[in-house]
Amino acid sequence: MKARLTTPGARSRLRTRLLAHYDREARDLPWRGETDPYRIWVSEVMLQQTRVETVTRYYGPWLRQFPDVESLADASEDRVLKAWEGLGYYRRARSLHRAAAVVRDRHGGVVPSDPAGLLDLPGVGAYTAGAVASIAFGVVTPAVDGNVKRVLSRLYDEPKPTPRWLEERAAELVEPRRPGDWNQALMELGATICVPRVPRCERCPVAELCAARAAGTEQDRPAAARKKPARVLRISVALLYADDRLLLHRRPSDGLLGGMWAFPEGDVDEVAGRVGARLVGDVTALDEVRHRFTHIDATYLPAASRVDSTPTPPDDHRWVALRDVEGLALPVAQQRILGQWTSSRESEGA
DNA sequence: AAATCGGGGTG
DNA sequence: CACCCAGATTT
């Protein structure tokens, strides 16, 4: 009963029906029909763990700033991170930046067309290599993302599909004449019909071929992974200012929010000591800012104080004129902290 | 195999 | 609130 798609005939019917549905119903997305490998690559990296609707807001502006591999490779990391600001998983931006330099220096500026060459690039894993190779170059290779995992888990009624199993099933299903469209059709099905909680089987073009549908187990496929509770963190941050300049800190490349700018962590006197400035006047405690990352429940405790001078700080710190702060790449939580300070100053001046 | 790494949309 | 998204990388 589980084995509905084990025969070539059944797989052929699946391809025909799903591609027909895709040709009829596919959403009109900014990168649909795109043929430039660089642009397809950019869209796939942005789409990693990120909704289509979110990526749509970043894709166009990114291409205006970095229209090709060379312009991206030549850009500063600050510009690249600024263009990525708010998208999250900032290592993706840093990896894409590095990869552009690799393509320029080792591939003559031409994006590799084979999955192996793509896999060598920073930030390109099995999914992205398969997606770019199939969509941009017509290579007959699968692309297994979260959607495809769910769709295959249901089609075969497999509760706990392993990466190996998924690659094998996906590989034997690829439509050899239209591999890119096929992979996108499978993902589109998962995104619009074969959705996580309550799938819309009544609208599914391949429901008759679905083993989970036949068994009534579609809502339990794939089996839910156990979740670990988020770490709870309380983080003191210091807003030190003199005249119209604010002290900011560039976070280390590795780890959380790597390479992004942020207010220095620690109490105001401690941070002032770190940069060799002296506090002047009262310390203002600002409202807490709670920010939940996927795995961290952070509460920022911001405090602001004027300082008497802006001595040359350590390399990873910078005194930034207020009007220049918006030019730096700040994580969402830091923007909210800045907003607290700004509003507290306004209410004081009023 | 499990942890790390953002942010936001959705029921 | 929980869940999870066109995942990659490290441990």
Side-chain angles (χ1 to χ4, degrees):
Chain A
M1 207 48 177
K2 283 185 157 185
R4 331 197 119 209
L5 290 168
T6 52
T7 67
R11 293 197 288 270
S12 179
R13 283 202 300 282
L14 181 77
R15 293 187 191 104
T16 303
R17 292 185 199 179
L18 186 49
L19 271 176
H21 177 265
Y22 177 71
D23 289 336
R24 200 165 52 240
E25 306 282 347
R27 291 175 288 179
D28 185 27
L29 305 175
W31 49 88
R32 190 83 80 205
E34 184 56 65
T35 58
D36 178 354
Y38 164 75
R39 295 185 177 204
I40 293 168
W41 175 25
V42 168
S43 75
E44 291 301 341
V45 174
M46 285 187 171
L47 285 162
Q48 290 167 8
Q49 292 292 282
T50 307
R51 315 232 170 206
V52 164
E53 295 71 26
T54 303
V55 171
T56 299
R57 299 197 301 271
Y58 286 80
Y59 179 72
W62 177 279
L63 289 183
R64 277 189 284 283
Q65 268 204 74
F66 314 115
D68 48 38
V69 169
E70 186 175 351
S71 59
L72 176 57
D74 290 344
S76 70
E77 185 172 303
D78 273 333
R79 275 188 62 212
V80 170
L81 284 174
K82 182 63 186 176
W84 205 269
E85 181 185 77
L87 252 188
Y89 287 147
Y90 298 99
R91 188 172 59 183
R92 292 184 295 173
R94 298 160 46 78
S95 296
L96 187 56
H97 188 208
R98 277 196 296 143
V102 172
V103 171
R104 178 193 58 195
D105 298 337
R106 297 218 306 262
H107 299 278
V110 179
V111 178
S113 59
D114 58 300
L118 288 161
L119 266 175
D120 272 342
L121 300 173
V124 176
Y127 163 75
T128 304
V132 173
S134 63
I135 297 170
F137 298 106
V139 177
V140 181
T141 189
V144 179
D145 73 333
N147 290 305
V148 175
K149 175 181 177 180
R150 183 173 56 257
V151 169
L152 295 181
S153 171
R154 286 173 174 164
L155 281 175
Y156 291 89
D157 197 23
E158 172 56 54
K160 297 176 70 175
T162 64
R164 168 78 177 276
W165 182 89
L166 286 165
E167 287 294 327
E168 289 172 355
R169 295 290 79 69
E172 68 188 10
L173 286 176
V174 179
E175 160 61 62
R177 286 162 299 191
R178 301 175 60 190
D181 286 342
W182 169 256
N183 287 331
Q184 292 182 83
L186 220 40
M187 293 188 276
E188 186 84 354
L189 181 70
T192 59
I193 293 176
C194 198
V195 293
R197 290 178 179 73
V198 185
R200 305 166 183 172
C201 298
E202 68 285 351
R203 291 177 43 192
C204 180
V206 296
E208 302 79 39
L209 295 166
C210 181
R213 168 73 161 166
T217 55
E218 65 270 17
Q219 297 200 33
D220 304 315
R221 301 288 180 265
R226 72 185 177 300
K227 62 264 176 188
K228 213 185 73 170
R231 274 180 291 157
V232 177
L233 258 39
R234 294 176 70 78
I235 305 166
S236 297
V237 295
L239 285 74
L240 300 185
Y241 58 98
D243 301 325
D244 205 25
R245 289 147 70 88
L246 259 173
L247 182 65
L248 288 172
H249 164 60
R250 193 206 304 269
R251 299 180 58 88
S253 301
D254 296 323
L256 187 68
L257 305 169
M260 300 291 283
W261 290 88
F263 294 108
E265 296 183 3
D267 296 325
V268 282
D269 48 1
E270 170 187 346
V271 173
R274 209 182 295 162
V275 298
R278 218 184 330 271
L279 301 183
V280 176
D282 296 332
V283 174
T284 305
L286 304 175
D287 287 346
E288 295 183 357
V289 171
R290 186 174 183 189
H291 187 80
R292 300 148 177 277
F293 302 89
T294 300
H295 58 300
I296 299 172
D297 182 350
T299 300
Y300 293 94
L301 311 168
S305 174
R306 184 181 299 280
V307 291
D308 66 342
S309 62
T310 57
T312 303
D315 265 359
D316 52 352
H317 288 67
R318 186 188 296 176
W319 293 101
V320 184
L322 201 47
R323 66 179 173 283
D324 293 333
V325 172
E326 65 183 35
L328 296 180
L330 258 65
V332 168
Q334 302 296 318
Q335 295 179 30
R336 292 178 52 205
I337 293 168
L338 177 62
Q340 293 287 352
W341 183 64
T342 305
S343 61
S344 86
R345 289 187 103 199
E346 281 169 0
S347 63
E348 198 162 315

